Amino acid sequence: MEAKVPVILVISHGYFCRELVNSVKMIFGECEGVETLPLEEGMDPEIYEQKFNEILDANDGNVFVCVDIMGGTPFKTLAKAVKTREIYGVAGISMPMLIEVLSNRDYAAGKELAAQVAQACAESIVDLSEYLEKLHNLG
């Protein structure tokens, strides 16, 4: 039986997750099967956890999670959920990373997708100093 393409859940402090998805749509096009869950200022962590679990349940647990940073409430919510569910994902979500997830979720899932995305995106962090200096010297 062929594996079902996972829903991508982007979680973050504030509305970063929603705006990231909106920005990625400008480059990638429509992003079907993508949901966001912002941790709103002052939101009770238990309410956030409840909403997170509702999304997991609505998608039969077939969710790949992209979180903004390790250690905060969104990450802790994910970490708590993996005690009873098999969930995979990546931390440090960015535009290149989300595009990579969307581009590869039809071909890889779970641990394999997380590894592919992390490896591919390690190269997306670039020190532009030398490049910008060359541009400056051309002008």
Side-chain angles (χ1 to χ4, degrees), residues 88-106:
Y88 294 94
V90 291
I93 193 66
S94 63
M95 283 184 71
M97 188 180 286
L98 185 53
I99 290 169
E100 193 72 27
V101 169
L102 292 168
S103 298
N104 288 294
R105 73 173 167 169
D106 290 339

Side-chain angles (χ1 to χ4, degrees), residues 13-39:
H13 294 82
Y15 296 101
F16 170 70
C17 56
R18 287 185 185 164
E19 294 309 317
L20 176 64
V21 171
N22 287 335
S23 295
V24 166
K25 286 178 182 179
M26 293 174 69
I27 296 169
F28 192 81
E30 191 52 42
C31 300
E32 292 192 27
V34 176
E35 296 192 34
T36 61
L37 182 59
L39 174 65

Side-chain angles (χ1 to χ4, degrees), residues 51-96:
K51 290 181 177 199
F52 181 86
N53 286 316
E54 287 171 3
I55 293 170
L56 293 179
D57 292 341
N59 294 288
D60 298 323
N62 187 31
V63 175
F64 186 87
V65 181
C66 301
V67 62
D68 57 355
I69 59 172
M70 292 180 66
T73 298
F75 175 79
K76 288 176 183 175
T77 301
L78 169 61
K80 188 172 182 182
V82 299
K83 292 179 181 179
T84 58
R85 303 172 186 253
E86 187 175 356
I87 307 169
Y88 294 94
V90 291
I93 193 66
S94 63
M95 283 184 71

Side-chain angles (χ1 to χ4, degrees), residues 3-4 6 62 64 88 104-105 107-114 116:
K4 191 174 154 189
N62 187 31
F64 186 87
Y88 294 94
N104 288 294
R105 73 173 167 169
Y107 313 106
K111 195 176 193 176
E112 182 184 354
L113 179 58
Q116 284 180 2

